[in-house]
Amino acid sequence: MMGIHNNVFCMKILRRISQRLYAGVVRMYAQTYAKPYARTDARESADHAAAKICTSHHVNWLGTLRVLAGSSTGRNLVMRLVLTLPTLLLLLVVPASCGRYDDFDDGEDLAEFDDNDFAEFEDMSEDRALEEEEEEEDSTPSPRPTASVGDEEDDEAVVELEDSHDDFEDAETPDEDIKYDTEEFEGFEKSNPSSKDPINILTVPAHLQNSWESYYMEILMVTGLLAYIMNYIIGKNKNHRLAQAWFNSHRELLESNFALVGDDGTSMEAVSTGKLNQENEHIYNLWCSGRVCCEGMLIQLKFLKRQDLLNVLARMMRPACDQVQIKVTLNDEDMDTFVFAVGNRKAMARLQKEMQDLSEFCSDKPKSGAKYGLPEFLAILSEMGEVSDGMMDSKMVHYLINHADKIESIHYSDQFSGPKLMQEEGQPLKLPETKKTLLFTFNVPGMGNTSPKDMDTLLPLMNMVIYSIDKVKKFRLNREVSREPLLANLTGCQFVSLTDWLVVSGHFSIAPGTVLLVQKILYFPISIDSRSSTNIKSTKSVLFWYFNTLGWDLQTCLLSIWSCR
Amino acid sequence: MSSNSMSDPRRQNKILRYKPPSSDSNPAMEDPTPDYMNLLGMIFSMCGLMLKLKWCAWIAVYCSFISFANSRSSEDTKQMMSSFMLSISAVVMSYLQNPQPMSPPW
């Protein structure tokens, strides 16, 4: 208790001394900086200025009063001298006295000697004892600056004031968890504890982020789809425009040649629709009928698949062109029996392998048409030389030379049955239906980049078609070279194999055997008809089979005769 | 030689009606693309739904679009619509189950 009272007394003395010291310093400060006052009452004005400075620095108001009271500098100097020695002593005492305040736990004792600000904390609970202690700690440094002001420089004083100011702020906002001085750790509060724990940065799931950028794949996909749709619309419209342009340029010619132009087969009466049938986005049909020399004509405009983006991209690798396919079906009396084709070399080679009739009746290799004056890249597949001579008249050659780039293939056939069908083993040979047909395949110029104007260039080719129809009607082969119409449908091989079967399953009786033998002998000149010498293959095969089975038949016949004898 | 330009080559009595070529006549000539794409689209959309793969569902959408673009007019629209709906439902279901964006395979 005595110690405490001693300390209280010391505090009071400390206060007074510090105030006086401070006042002296301030006056010195004022005198130094208040020089503009040149009058004899400069001291008074200096004191007044000092007082002002004192108030601006938020100095204790008691000190200010002292400044105002003490007007003579001499008195202040003496006071200063008197106060310096105790001040030094006090400087030594203050840290010791401050240390003792840390031991205080009792809030009541603190409240007795302190200012009335903290009197309200007299009846505090134990929870707030810590706060009081902190507040006391905060408040105790406040007399410290006033005591040490006399010795220390202005900077130090300012710093101290700032410290006290901050401490007061902290006192007003008590923070229970502060174990360190907040002013020292400004900004480091959060990082300090976290440096000890392992940092676990969690990634926010992409769909919860507020950015569209993470969905870039989806955006790409949707953009691709939109591009596809755009291309579909553009391609479809282009194809439609091309078809319309073709039809507009050919309409007049067709209507002058055919009674029925445009038919979809659904209407009750045979009335010209006068427009194309759209089978697809890239295929347009037109059926024309009602003319001499032919049954009808089917025109197919087979455009490129401009509506399909994949196809467009594939065409960039491999260029292709639009095609116009014309198929003229003829009546039986309109055409003689022959097979003939002329066109592009590549197309001819392909057709020769693919088409049933061409592979059967024509030679393997397409022949050059130089004999007739055709360009080198055009080739001829023909059944007989006479057919070629007959077909390649001057007007035809003229057409071919002028429009050679647009002609893919021209195929006349009386045995047309389409491409070769794959025949399975063991099944009976199915004879395909044949029809007298003229086939024309034209390439549209432009190689894909066609404009509607290019369709006009195909008009002469249509004239060629009409001309060909009439020509074929009039063309007649020599009687001796033509095929017999009776057995025209059956090939030599097919007939022979049929008889083979009969012979093998025969009953070795005379009648069938002799009949068959006689048929065979009669068939010989028919099967080996006077085809051109280029038709060696079929002749050979027929001969082979013929003699093979002839031997059998002969044997059978002889056996039957001898058995019945 | 050719028909007399004076006489009209047209013959009203010789008109033959258009008969669409039957598909049996040349099965090889027909374009198989729309059928293949339809099948692929269905397979991909099933994969996308079952295995919860987003890229499968997107490819299914593309396949159904390609099939539609290449289809013949004679084909009924029901099949086209069903493949569309299936692929779109595959995409929607994949995203409902897992709203995260699609990660590229590389």
Side-chain angles (χ1 to χ4, degrees):
Chain A
M1 285 299 281
M2 277 299 287
I4 292 164
H5 283 291
N6 277 339
N7 281 327
V8 166
F9 183 64
C10 279
M11 266 289 292
K12 284 192 174 158
I13 289 170
L14 207 75
R15 263 215 167 177
R16 285 204 185 128
I17 291 164
S18 66
Q19 281 166 5
R20 281 177 190 174
L21 249 167
Y22 182 71
V25 164
V26 164
R27 198 170 290 113
M28 256 172 62
Y29 179 80
Q31 279 167 359
T32 319
Y33 290 102
K35 272 184 188 163
Y37 299 97
R39 296 185 299 172
T40 51
D41 57 346
R43 268 182 245 127
E44 280 81 14
S45 60
D47 290 339
H48 198 66
K52 268 195 182 167
I53 291 162
C54 287
T55 48
S56 73
H57 281 283
H58 300 287
V59 164
N60 200 346
W61 61 277
L62 283 170
T64 316
L65 281 170
R66 295 251 185 252
V67 167
L68 286 166
S71 55
S72 68
T73 44
R75 233 187 293 152
N76 287 327
L77 273 168
V78 166
M79 254 169 62
R80 226 176 284 127
L81 280 168
V82 164
L83 287 170
T84 40
L85 284 170
T87 317
L88 284 168
L89 286 168
L90 277 168
L91 279 171
L92 291 168
V93 166
V94 158
S97 64
C98 276
R100 277 190 218 169
Y101 290 139
D102 293 335
D103 301 336
F104 277 158
D105 292 325
D106 198 356
E108 289 178 26
D109 291 328
L110 287 170
E112 278 176 15
F113 64 89
D114 210 355
D115 279 340
N116 293 333
D117 292 343
F118 305 110
E120 61 195 13
F121 295 120
E122 272 182 339
D123 296 327
M124 273 175 20
S125 59
E126 289 178 1
D127 291 334
R128 301 204 63 177
L130 198 63
E131 279 177 30
E132 276 185 317
E133 203 179 295
E134 284 170 45
E135 283 157 15
E136 277 308 308
E137 282 179 15
D138 293 336
S139 60
T140 43
S142 61
R144 239 198 309 146
T146 52
S148 59
V149 143
D151 273 347
E152 295 165 10
E153 294 171 5
D154 290 346
D155 297 339
E156 193 67 29
V158 168
V159 166
E160 291 289 339
L161 278 169
E162 280 182 16
D163 283 346
S164 67
H165 194 58
D166 284 340
D167 291 341
F168 274 122
E169 280 180 355
D170 283 337
E172 284 166 4
T173 59
D175 200 354
E176 293 177 37
D177 294 333
I178 291 175
K179 294 189 177 66
Y180 46 84
D181 284 339
T182 49
E183 67 269 17
E184 286 184 22
F185 291 100
E186 276 176 34
F188 290 111
E189 285 162 356
K190 287 194 175 67
S191 64
N192 206 10
S194 67
S195 62
K196 293 168 192 168
D197 303 331
I199 295 170
N200 208 9
I201 299 167
L202 296 168
T203 51
V204 180
H207 66 282
L208 296 172
Q209 291 171 12
N210 252 348
S211 70
W212 289 106
E213 288 155 5
S214 52
Y215 285 94
Y216 68 95
M217 284 294 287
E218 280 77 13
I219 290 166
L220 268 173
M221 288 287 186
V222 171
T223 314
L225 273 177
L226 284 173
Y228 193 90
I229 291 168
M230 288 293 297
N231 180 71
Y232 174 80
I233 292 167
I234 291 168
K236 187 174 88 140
N237 285 339
K238 171 118 196 231
N239 278 350
H240 189 73
R241 270 185 292 129
L242 286 173
Q244 278 305 118
W246 180 92
F247 189 55
N248 289 336
S249 66
H250 288 75
R251 184 199 298 264
E252 207 179 304
L253 176 66
L254 290 172
E255 278 176 355
S256 66
N257 272 295
F258 291 92
L260 177 74
V261 174
D263 184 23
D264 55 0
T266 55
S267 60
M268 291 299 291
E269 290 176 9
V271 178
S272 296
T273 59
K275 53 182 185 189
L276 301 160
N277 287 346
Q278 188 173 357
E279 190 183 301
N280 232 333
E281 301 298 341
H282 62 281
I283 297 179
Y284 291 82
N285 289 344
L286 184 72
W287 172 255
C288 303
S289 184
R291 195 189 189 272
V292 291
C293 315
C294 69
E295 272 182 5
M297 178 165 80
L298 179 67
I299 303 170
Q300 272 195 322
L301 301 174
K302 287 192 174 169
F303 293 124
L304 300 166
K305 284 189 185 176
R306 290 186 179 86
Q307 78 274 12
D308 183 15
L309 187 62
L310 284 183
N311 214 289
V312 168
L313 295 171
R315 260 190 303 116
M316 286 180 188
M317 309 293 145
R318 203 162 33 116
C321 50
D322 304 313
Q323 282 190 338
V324 177
Q325 282 186 356
I326 300 170
K327 183 172 169 181
V328 184
T329 44
L330 304 165
N331 296 318
D332 284 337
E333 66 272 12
D334 293 332
M335 186 175 168
D336 210 349
T337 57
F338 64 90
V339 175
F340 172 78
V342 64
N344 224 346
R345 254 186 205 280
K346 258 199 260 179
M348 286 295 106
R350 187 173 42 88
L351 280 178
Q352 207 279 330
K353 291 192 193 78
E354 274 181 11
M355 291 295 171
Q356 175 83 18
D357 51 349
L358 283 175
S359 61
E360 205 175 300
F361 294 104
C362 299
S363 62
D364 284 350
K365 273 166 103 177
K367 282 203 293 198
S368 164
K371 193 165 85 172
Y372 309 102
L374 294 176
E376 190 49 46
F377 56 87
L378 288 178
I380 296 174
L381 278 172
S382 169
E383 197 180 345
M384 288 167 274
E386 191 194 334
V387 172
S388 309
D389 296 332
M391 285 294 113
M392 291 287 114
D393 61 344
S394 58
K395 201 159 177 194
M396 200 68 180
V397 168
H398 175 79
Y399 273 124
L400 285 172
I401 291 168
N402 283 357
H403 308 282
D405 56 334
K406 297 196 254 304
I407 293 170
E408 172 88 1
S409 70
I410 298 173
H411 180 190
Y412 305 154
S413 170
D414 71 316
Q415 298 283 316
F416 182 73
S417 59
K420 271 196 215 175
L421 298 169
M422 303 304 291
Q423 295 279 1
E424 290 173 18
E425 299 292 328
Q427 276 195 358
L429 292 167
K430 199 173 74 169
L431 298 173
E433 285 178 21
T434 60
K435 190 89 181 112
K436 296 198 179 191
T437 328
L438 307 179
L439 285 159
F440 299 85
T441 308
F442 300 133
N443 293 331
V444 176
M447 206 67 183
N449 298 326
T450 49
S451 69
K453 286 193 286 290
D454 294 333
M455 292 300 171
D456 294 337
T457 58
L458 295 172
L459 198 58
L461 292 171
M462 187 53 75
N463 281 322
M464 184 179 82
V465 169
I466 305 287
Y467 170 76
S468 308
I469 296 171
D470 295 328
K471 185 183 166 58
V472 160
K473 166 84 174 173
K474 290 184 171 57
F475 180 73
R476 286 286 177 267
L477 290 168
N478 283 337
R479 200 70 201 149
E480 17 182 272
V481 299
S482 66
R483 271 181 265 124
E484 271 297 315
L486 235 124
L487 290 166
N489 285 341
L490 279 176
T491 63
C493 293
Q494 287 166 345
F495 188 79
V496 166
S497 58
L498 194 66
T499 52
D500 270 346
W501 182 81
L502 282 170
V503 163
V504 167
S505 65
H507 300 292
F508 296 106
S509 56
I510 296 171
T514 45
V515 162
L516 287 169
L517 194 62
V518 164
Q519 267 186 341
K520 277 280 174 66
I521 293 163
L522 278 174
Y523 184 71
F524 181 72
I526 293 164
S527 61
I528 316 296
D529 60 13
S530 56
R531 295 175 188 223
S532 60
S533 58
T534 59
N535 208 3
I536 297 164
K537 183 186 171 187
S538 64
T539 315
K540 237 188 199 170
S541 56
V542 168
L543 273 170
F544 172 74
W545 278 108
Y546 183 81
F547 282 112
N548 199 10
T549 53
L550 193 65
W552 273 104
D553 292 338
L554 208 61
Q555 203 175 9
T556 317
C557 194
L558 286 167
L559 273 169
S560 62
I561 291 165
W562 289 335
S563 63
C564 292
R565 211 156 25 125
Chain B
M1 286 224 359
S2 55
S3 61
N4 197 350
S5 57
M6 298 289 285
S7 69
D8 193 5
R10 293 177 288 182
R11 296 287 179 271
Q12 196 70 29
N13 56 342
K14 284 192 157 191
I15 285 178
L16 204 70
R17 293 305 304 275
Y18 173 62
K19 210 171 57 170
S22 60
S23 60
D24 298 339
S25 59
N26 39 11
M29 299 261 281
E30 282 182 8
D31 184 22
T33 307
D35 302 322
Y36 278 150
M37 283 295 144
N38 229 348
L39 185 67
L40 267 180
M42 284 211 244
I43 290 170
F44 273 118
S45 59
M46 280 295 142
C47 275
L49 271 173
M50 303 295 177
L51 305 174
K52 296 182 190 169
L53 297 169
K54 291 195 176 75
W55 55 270
C56 273
W58 281 110
I59 291 174
V61 174
Y62 270 99
C63 282
S64 68
F65 265 96
I66 293 168
S67 170
F68 169 72
N70 285 308
S71 69
R72 297 171 277 277
S73 64
S74 57
E75 277 186 33
D76 55 352
T77 56
K78 280 198 290 260
Q79 193 167 5
M80 217 52 56
M81 286 302 292
S82 75
S83 81
F84 258 128
M85 289 296 129
L86 188 63
S87 57
I88 289 170
S89 73
V91 169
V92 168
M93 285 308 295
S94 304
Y95 279 95
L96 277 177
Q97 288 164 2
N98 184 14
Q100 282 196 15
M102 190 163 63
S103 60
W106 54 86

